Amino acid sequence: TCGRVVLSVPRGPLRRAQEEAGRADLVIVLGSSMGTSPFCELPSYSGCFVLCNKQKTPYDKSARVCIHDDVNQFIARLMKHVFGEEDVSLDFTYEQEFLIL
């Protein structure tokens, strides 16, 4: 296991999450210490994952790209670079829903 916290998860949903991660071309992990098992193992099922977190994690060396930075600041700079926006306003919280394709 990878984490300090181990959760009991029903096998069916966990297996589906592993399969979906395995189908992903890229998994992006934002602001996670990667310390809760079995969820911390999911990015490694993909062919490639990027990790952005302030602190080091046990998965830093496994990530294709590892960025140690504040997630909000990193995303703001990335959006500015990609979209050329000078004033990028973010209201990024973990309570927001994410669309997973």
Side-chain angles (χ1 to χ4, degrees):
T1 65
C2 55
R4 297 172 290 271
V5 177
V6 179
L7 299 178
S8 176
V9 180
R11 288 185 184 201
L14 179 58
R15 192 172 311 117
R16 171 128 191 255
Q18 292 165 337
E19 291 169 359
E20 292 297 329
R23 280 188 268 248
D25 294 326
L26 173 67
V27 171
I28 301 172
V29 181
L30 299 172
S32 172
S33 64
M34 302 284 285
T36 302
S37 184
F39 305 110
C40 57
E41 298 163 359
L42 290 175
S44 64
Y45 281 84
S46 74
C48 177
F49 75 95
V50 173
L51 175 61
C52 179
N53 193 51
K54 275 187 180 181
Q55 292 83 24
K56 292 182 178 183
T57 78
Y59 282 82
D60 288 1
K61 291 182 181 178
S62 301
R64 179 73 55 94
V65 176
C66 181
I67 302 160
H68 291 127
D69 197 358
D70 177 87
V71 172
N72 287 339
Q73 293 175 9
F74 170 73
I75 294 297
R77 287 193 308 276
L78 179 63
M79 289 175 62
K80 181 178 176 183
H81 177 75
V82 170
F83 299 110
E85 298 177 19
E86 289 298 320
D87 184 24
V88 178
S89 176
L90 292 178
D91 184 17
F92 183 82
T93 64
Y94 295 103
E95 291 81 31
Q96 291 179 343
E97 292 184 24
F98 291 89
L99 177 62
I100 300 174
L101 302 173

